[in-house]
Amino acid sequence: MAEAERIIGTPDDTPEAERPGQQRQPDAAAETAAAPPGTTPDAQDGPEAALRADGQPRGRRRIGVLFAVAAVAYALDLISKIVVVAKLEHHAPVKIIGDWLQLQMIRNSGAAFSFGEAYTVIFTVIAAAVIVVIVRLARKLYSLPWAFALGLLFGGALGNLTDRIFRSPGVFKGAVVDFISPKHFAVFNLADSAIVCGGILIVLLSFSGRDPDGTVHKD
């Protein structure tokens, strides 16, 4: 009997992970070690941004948020320009807060805030390149704050690019409609505002260690 037990083995000799009908539970420490060093899930994105064991982000992509924000920014910019051209072109400025803030329509062939008017084509190419980069980056977008930032940047770039393509004096040389005129500052539009706000948010996210894929780098 003792010889038979030695050959067959007793139930207590079988490790728990190898017993039939049972599955080995994942080791939490091993899963934590599998994450890339220096990264943690984005706390503001919740558990959906947690890393899988292979180091890739887990959860919903934020592409829908990006394009929703971009659509709103683009629509507001487009509608405001249509109204401004219809109501303010060839008219005196409209005072909103005395001389400190006025609505005054101008056609700007330069960059944002009327800078670089001699380089219209270059700014057109830059705006198109920004849009392409954002679309490519959207495939790896899991962070909600990054989705808002890129959405603002996308919508603003698309708004001014529309003017470059469709307004006079010609395709890729069109003048952008600007109309927000603070005192002692350049005239700008809603697309410029969206671009600046998106850019500032991107800088803040980068300095805080947040990546578009939802991870956070802690130096």
Side-chain angles (χ1 to χ4, degrees), residues 89-172:
E89 191 169 24
H90 308 305
H91 288 76
V94 176
K95 294 184 178 182
I96 303 300
I97 307 177
D99 294 332
W100 290 97
L101 179 62
Q102 303 181 73
L103 298 182
Q104 176 185 7
M105 180 192 155
I106 66 169
R107 292 184 181 267
N108 169 28
S109 58
F113 308 110
S114 303
F115 297 133
E117 296 186 3
Y119 302 98
T120 306
V121 175
I122 295 176
F123 293 132
T124 303
V125 173
I126 292 174
V130 168
I131 292 173
V132 172
V133 170
I134 293 175
V135 171
R136 292 178 61 86
L137 184 60
R139 296 177 299 175
K140 302 178 181 178
L141 186 62
Y142 289 83
S143 170
L144 190 59
W146 269 95
F148 274 97
L150 293 176
L152 289 171
L153 195 61
F154 186 99
L158 187 60
N160 283 339
L161 183 62
T162 300
D163 283 2
R164 304 286 188 195
I165 295 175
F166 295 106
R167 295 192 185 276
S168 60
V171 177
F172 300 121

Side-chain angles (χ1 to χ4, degrees), residues 2 6 13 54 58 60-61 68 82 91 99 103 114 125 140 153 171 198 200 210:
R6 186 184 65 81
D13 293 335
D54 59 1
R58 175 174 57 191
R60 295 194 305 269
R61 288 188 176 91
I82 292 175
H91 288 76
D99 294 332
L103 298 182
S114 303
V125 173
K140 302 178 181 178
L153 195 61
V171 177
I200 292 174
R210 298 181 184 275

Side-chain angles (χ1 to χ4, degrees), residues 63-75 147-156:
I63 300 177
V65 176
L66 186 156
F67 287 111
V69 173
V72 171
Y74 178 71
F148 274 97
L150 293 176
L152 289 171
L153 195 61
F154 186 99

Side-chain angles (χ1 to χ4, degrees), residues 72-82 156 159-160 189-192:
V72 171
Y74 178 71
L76 291 176
D77 178 68
L78 185 62
I79 293 171
S80 66
K81 289 174 178 175
I82 292 175
N160 283 339
N189 57 39
L190 295 184
D192 297 334

